[in-house]
Amino acid sequence: MPRSIHGLAEIAGRYDGYILDLWGVLHDGDKPYPGAVECLGHLKAAGKRVMALSNAPRRVDVAAKRMAEMGIPLNLLTAVMTSGEDAWQHLKKRDDPWYAKLGRRCFHLGPERDTGMLEGLDLDVVHDMAEAEFVLNTGAHMDGETLNQYEPMLQQGAKRRVPMVCANPDLVVIHRGQMQICAGKLAERYEALGGHVRWHGKPHRDVYQICFKLLGVADRRRVLAVGDSFRTDIAGAKGAGIDAVFVAHGIHGEELEVPPGGHPDPEKLNALIARTGLSPVAVLPHFVW
C-alpha cells in the first residue's frame, strides 16, 4: 500500500521538482480546489520548481490564460505544458517520419473552442471525412455526448485508413460533477476499428522529456508527479522513471469510494493497484499543503 498522507508537506522535502496535473488536481474545470493555490504558494516559498502538465487539447498560452482567469497565479509555476502544444508543434515542424508524410487536408474532430489548434498551421481544413488526409482529434463537445454519436464518423475514417492525431489522451473527465467523454475515448474506439492513432500527452514518454527540460531538475529521483488518474498520471510517471502521488478525490473517487476529504477504501485501492500494476509512493485526498 502507498503511504497515506494528508498534505504534501509530509513528503515535500524529498523532491525539488513537481509535475502537476491540472484538471482534477489544481482545478475542477471552473475554479481551483480549496487549498490548491495555497499549496502552490508553499512550494514556491520552499524554492521548489513546479510545472503544470495537462492533457488539454490546446496551446500552452491558451491553457495558461485560462488558469489565470480561474485564479491560479502563473508566477507560482515554473512552466506549463499541454498535450495540445506537443501535437501542434509536431504538426508545425513535421520533423519525424510519421508527420513528414502526413497530408495537409485536415478534418477537425472537436468543438469550436479548440479551433485555436488549427491556427498557424499550413492546413486545408475539410468538413467531410471523405476528403480528409488526417484527423485532428481534440474531443467531444462535453455536453453529455456519447461515444455512439461519433460511431459513424469514426467508422468512415477507419475504413479509409485516415490517420488520427489525438491531442488529448484522456478517456473521460469530471466536469461540474458529471463524467464526460474526451478525445482519448474517441481515439481508443478508432484504434479498435482498425484506425491508426498518434497519441500526445500523458502517459506517453515524449511529453515528459519536454517537462524535464522545462523543470531543469537533473536528478529524476528528486522529481514528483501529482495526478488523479492511474491511466495517465501514475502510468506516465512510472514510464518516465519518477515517483508519483495519487490525488484520490478525482477521477477515481467514486470507484474507490472516497469520502469528502478522506482516503479511498483500502481494499478497492489495492485492487486498482493490482489491476494496473502501478503503485504511487503516496495517496493524498486533495492537493493541499
Side-chain angles (χ1 to χ4, degrees):
M1 279 289 290
R3 176 181 173 185
S4 292
I5 60 176
H6 296 281
L8 202 59
E10 297 178 42
I11 61 170
R14 294 163 51 183
Y15 303 98
D16 301 319
Y18 293 77
I19 300 175
L20 309 179
D21 184 32
L22 272 177
W23 203 321
V25 172
L26 293 181
H27 66 71
D28 64 1
D30 289 318
K31 60 185 182 304
Y33 289 112
V37 173
E38 289 79 2
C39 189
L40 287 176
H42 282 289
L43 289 170
K44 175 79 170 182
K48 308 299 184 182
R49 297 182 65 82
V50 182
M51 69 170 295
L53 172 59
S54 173
N55 273 353
R58 51 194 61 93
R59 302 288 309 277
V60 159
D61 58 343
V62 176
K65 180 181 177 182
R66 178 62 182 139
M67 290 169 64
E69 290 171 348
M70 286 186 196
I72 300 173
L74 297 180
N75 64 356
L76 298 180
L77 297 169
T78 302
V80 177
M81 183 60 192
T82 66
S83 56
E85 182 70 28
D86 190 35
W88 189 92
Q89 292 292 341
H90 278 80
L91 284 167
K92 180 70 173 179
K93 297 174 183 176
R94 306 276 177 146
D95 55 358
D96 71 24
W98 193 87
Y99 274 97
K101 66 180 181 181
L102 202 63
R104 297 285 173 178
R105 293 197 301 275
C106 170
F107 180 89
H108 178 213
L109 175 53
E112 186 175 350
R113 65 177 175 269
D114 294 338
T115 54
M117 283 288 294
L118 300 168
E119 295 176 4
L121 300 174
D122 181 20
L123 298 176
D124 296 319
V125 180
V126 299
H127 302 284
D128 187 339
M129 184 68 83
E131 300 175 7
E133 292 179 311
F134 78 95
V135 178
L136 174 59
N137 173 14
T138 64
H141 291 73
M142 292 185 63
D143 56 1
E145 291 179 323
T146 66
L147 185 59
N148 286 339
Q149 291 173 261
Y150 288 87
E151 184 71 10
M153 183 188 306
L154 296 174
Q155 287 192 11
Q156 182 184 16
K159 184 176 182 180
R160 291 189 58 236
R161 304 185 67 81
V162 180
M164 173 184 286
V165 175
C166 181
N168 172 9
D170 288 349
L171 301 181
V172 296
V173 71
I174 299 173
H175 186 232
R176 296 175 181 173
Q178 299 296 317
M179 196 80 77
Q180 306 280 0
I181 63 171
C182 295
K185 179 66 75 172
L186 303 177
E188 185 180 64
R189 177 58 183 160
Y190 201 66
E191 284 189 328
L193 291 168
H196 182 75
V197 178
R198 179 70 177 261
W199 298 81
H200 291 275
K202 299 175 289 186
H204 305 284
R205 186 185 295 259
D206 288 354
V207 78
Y208 287 91
Q209 303 308 312
I210 297 171
C211 289
F212 293 143
K213 291 179 182 178
L214 292 171
L215 268 182
V217 177
D219 187 352
R220 295 186 187 178
R221 294 171 299 179
R222 303 284 298 179
V223 178
L224 180 71
V226 182
D228 71 321
S229 167
F230 265 65
R231 177 181 169 271
T232 56
D233 301 305
I234 311 304
K238 181 179 180 180
I242 59 176
D243 288 347
V245 164
F246 171 55
V247 176
H249 79 93
I251 202 166
H252 294 287
E254 183 176 345
E255 172 191 356
L256 300 179
E257 298 181 1
V258 181
H263 284 88
D265 176 274
E267 290 187 5
K268 293 187 180 299
L269 178 58
N270 270 334
L272 179 59
I273 290 171
R275 185 169 72 250
T276 61
L278 302 168
S279 184
V281 296
V283 178
L284 182 66
H286 297 271
F287 182 71
V288 295
W289 186 247

